[in-house]
Amino acid sequence: MPRQVVYLARHGQTALNAEGRIRGLEDPDLDEAGRAQAAALGRAFLDVPLRWVASSPLGRARQTAAAVAEPHELQPFADPHLNDRDYGQWGGQVTAEVVARFGSVDAAPGVEAWAAFSERSARRFVELVAEQGDTPGVIVAHDAVNRAILQRLFALDPATTSQRTGCWNELHVEDGGWTLVLLDQLPPS
């Protein structure tokens, strides 16, 4: 039996996701599909004895976290260190157009450096889980945040690691060692 179980989820869909646009610090609400995904995540954790739910401070993550926390009568809390990557002026732009212009989103000027971003995300994730003691919980974040955490903890390639909207990952921690049990799971709708 693991000492602690934590679930790392991605928020539900927004209009920017549906349109293939860069989200980052843009703050759209969940769209209809995203609200359904958040509700499905909430149902997926009904039988899990959650003791805490945390999220990024952006609305799409907070809305998803609320759907997960509500059946457990928990009050989710936001942590600014779980915020999405800063894409600068490219937030809201069509991803394919930015890639066509610069070769990759990472090469676009003003984008937060991946190394600093991934270090911030993974460090805070580990600290936050440790602060909760041995209790199970859910962290709702973003595609880039989740991929950064999975890269730092498990050496997964962020370019090929899928984190679909409304997905969750199950991680176990024992004596400071991390185990990835499930990756990019979608709950039944």
Side-chain angles (χ1 to χ4, degrees), residues 26-128:
E26 302 296 307
D27 202 11
D29 286 335
L30 297 177
D31 63 15
E32 185 176 336
R35 288 188 297 276
Q37 290 170 333
L41 268 175
R43 289 189 300 276
F45 294 111
L46 281 176
D47 295 330
V48 178
L50 298 179
R51 297 292 174 258
W52 56 275
V53 177
S55 75
S56 154
L58 293 173
R60 57 194 184 268
R62 287 185 302 107
Q63 291 166 350
T64 304
V68 171
E70 190 271 328
H72 298 275
E73 299 180 356
L74 296 172
Q75 184 64 39
F77 60 94
D79 188 303
H81 293 80
L82 297 173
N83 217 349
D84 204 353
R85 189 174 182 193
D86 185 352
Y87 293 97
Q89 70 188 37
W90 310 108
Q93 301 300 309
V94 175
T95 305
E97 292 174 4
V98 175
V99 170
R101 183 170 172 192
F102 298 104
S104 73
V105 172
D106 288 330
V111 173
E112 182 178 9
W114 180 262
F117 165 74
S118 64
E119 171 61 25
R120 161 181 59 92
S121 300
R123 182 179 58 246
R124 183 58 188 143
F125 174 81
V126 170
E127 291 169 351
L128 182 59

Side-chain angles (χ1 to χ4, degrees), residues 143 147 150 157-164 167 169 183-185:
D143 176 49
R147 289 184 298 112
L150 294 167
D157 182 351
T160 59
T161 301
S162 179
Q163 288 293 278
R164 295 170 288 178
C167 79
N169 308 279
L183 176 67
D184 192 39
Q185 301 296 298

